[in-house]
Amino acid sequence: MERGGSPAYVCPDGAHWGQPPPAMTAHSATIDVCIVGAGPAGLNAALVLGRCGRSVVVYDSGQPRNAASQGLRCFLSRDGINPHELRAIGRLEVGAYPSVTFIDAQVVAAKRSPYGFELVTSDGQSRACRILLLATGRVDVLPDRPGFRELYGRGVHHCPYCDGWEHRGQRIVAYGEYPAVADLALALLTWTPRVTVVVPEPGQASADDRRRLGEQRIEVAPADIASVEGTPEGGVTGAQLANGERIACDAVFFTSALPQRSALAENLGCEMDDGGSVVCRAHAATGVPGLYVAGNVRGGVHLAIMAAAEGAEAAIAINEELADNGLNPTEAVRPRQPTSGGDA
Ligand SMILES: Cc1cc2nc3c(=O)[nH]c(=O)nc-3n(C[C@H](O)[C@H](O)[C@H](O)COP(=O)(O)OP(=O)(O)OC[C@H]3O[C@@H](n4cnc5c(N)ncnc54)[C@H](O)[C@@H]3O)c2cc1C
């Protein structure tokens, strides 16, 4: 669904009122900013840019990272909110700013152009923009075992800060490979002393991993999980191991690879770090001119409130880059001053 009007522009001297500005573009349909991704990062960027009167198109493919979550935590004033509701509220709030348009479509290709960027969506539409913000998020790779997908977001989790409180004092299995599973198990001690590590490849433990777990008297089961057992309501009751043993527990936390949701950043030439995050310079900029990133696309703390903050940071940097290039916002926020006369 698309809404919002076509932008009008004013240059500092007022000479190009209503026309595309001369700097940064020679393309008549070029808008200021395209944002790919309407999660917390993209929505907060759209909010700030909408309040700057920038012409913005926000694309979203409807695949938020936390789709399985029952309640978003650690977000001040919204603790426990359904994540779909948070996004819906965000869209409503951003919708109050007329220069922002939402398009529910996947961006399948993006390339640099003389005037900025050109995007192509899954429905074959193309659009030109001066600045591109990627807020496309990441994907959690779930272990391919019965129970993980079914119970994900209820009794099976990956983030202790998001879901540890709900399982405080309970029996928790930490599942994955070294060294990440040792870090996960130690982190879970904040909420419960009853942590058991289940690790398919115990031989990969370093001396440091063994020492750290040993010091905390954390038990290690050297086996794979065959399945996670639970109730129809989503509670976990146990982990069935591939060696035939069973561990009774109330939750399973796992470590996983965290690939990018979209290949756009890499395809546009962004530098990636060893963890698969886009390397970010000051104020959300990348090494590609005019290309910014916000949210889980980047490394660091992957909480939704951080993603939202990074969206705001990117938006301010983008607005300043546009202003530095002599591009001022729409008439709606920046009405032309009368040249003479008028009320005193
Ligand atoms: C089960 C679970 C529970 C979680 N619980 C919490 C919690 O309690 N508290 C917390 O702070 N965090 C939690 N998180 C983490 C939280 O989901 C992320 O921090 C947050 O969603 C990151 O926001 P984002 O905007 O970067 O990405 P996302 O929210 O993932 O949004 C990215 C958007 O980009 C869109 N997109 C991607 N590629 C394209 C494309 N090519 N074209 C168009 N659109 C595209 C996607 O459809 C998606 O809507 C949880 C995560 C999971 C998996």
Side-chain angles (χ1 to χ4, degrees):
M1 296 292 290
E2 186 165 353
R3 57 180 170 67
S6 56
Y9 295 96
V10 60
C11 289
D13 61 1
H16 298 275
W17 185 259
Q19 300 296 317
M24 284 184 91
T25 178
H27 192 283
S28 61
T30 303
I31 57 150
D32 289 331
V33 188
C34 277
I35 298 174
V36 188
L43 283 171
N44 220 106
L47 179 63
V48 175
L49 287 165
R51 290 180 54 78
C52 297
R54 295 298 180 184
S55 56
V56 178
V57 173
V58 186
Y59 291 98
D60 193 71
S61 57
Q63 300 165 297
R65 179 177 171 191
N66 56 4
S69 168
Q70 301 298 298
L72 180 82
R73 302 292 180 179
C74 308
F75 202 114
L76 189 64
S77 85
R78 301 286 170 185
D79 192 41
I81 191 173
N82 181 298
H84 303 289
E85 194 185 340
L86 181 81
R87 288 162 64 95
I89 292 171
R91 279 204 181 208
L92 261 182
E93 289 180 352
V94 175
Y97 298 93
S99 63
V100 182
T101 299
F102 284 100
I103 298 180
D104 289 325
Q106 186 182 10
V107 176
V108 292
K111 65 174 183 187
R112 294 191 64 196
S113 71
Y115 39 81
F117 297 88
E118 226 173 79
L119 308 186
V120 180
T121 51
S122 44
D123 52 5
Q125 304 291 310
S126 65
R127 188 176 300 270
C129 60
R130 297 183 180 84
I131 303 275
L132 177 59
L133 171 62
L134 296 179
T136 42
R138 303 280 268 261
V139 188
D140 297 87
V141 180
L142 299 184
D144 188 16
R145 312 273 188 283
F148 275 94
R149 189 162 300 282
E150 295 84 343
L151 299 167
Y152 189 40
R154 292 180 294 170
V156 171
H157 309 282
H158 72 280
C159 167
Y161 287 93
C162 304
D163 297 292
W165 172 260
E166 282 64 38
H167 297 288
R168 60 193 183 281
Q170 294 183 351
R171 300 161 300 174
I172 298 182
V173 161
Y175 172 67
E177 300 294 358
Y178 288 117
V181 74
D183 296 335
L184 175 63
L186 293 165
L188 285 164
L189 293 179
T190 296
W191 293 275
T192 182
R194 304 160 79 191
V195 178
T196 303
V197 167
V198 176
V199 57
E201 302 283 349
Q204 290 177 354
S206 67
D208 192 47
D209 292 331
R210 280 195 221 96
R211 179 189 57 75
R212 291 189 301 151
L213 293 175
E215 279 175 3
Q216 298 295 333
R217 300 179 189 282
I218 294 176
E219 276 186 44
V220 177
D224 205 345
I225 288 183
S227 64
V228 180
E229 298 165 353
T231 64
E233 292 74 38
V236 163
T237 53
Q240 185 63 53
L241 306 189
N243 64 9
E245 289 176 22
R246 181 181 183 279
I247 298 178
C249 61
D250 306 297
V252 173
F253 282 68
F254 66 95
T255 65
S256 83
L258 200 57
Q260 295 281 339
R261 168 75 67 190
S262 159
L264 290 173
E266 207 164 357
N267 292 347
L268 281 163
C270 286
E271 188 186 344
M272 312 297 285
D273 70 17
D274 291 344
S277 302
V278 176
V279 174
C280 193
R281 301 183 177 187
H283 306 304
T286 68
V288 179
L291 180 61
Y292 291 77
V293 285
N296 287 185
V297 171
R298 293 161 53 166
V301 175
H302 279 176
L303 287 179
I305 200 159
M306 296 294 293
E310 290 166 11
E313 179 191 36
I316 290 170
I318 288 168
N319 185 53
E320 288 177 358
E321 180 174 341
L322 290 165
D324 286 349
N325 279 278
L327 296 166
N328 289 312
T330 57
E331 187 177 3
V333 288
R334 206 169 175 276
R336 202 161 33 151
Q337 297 299 310
T339 47
S340 62
D343 294 338

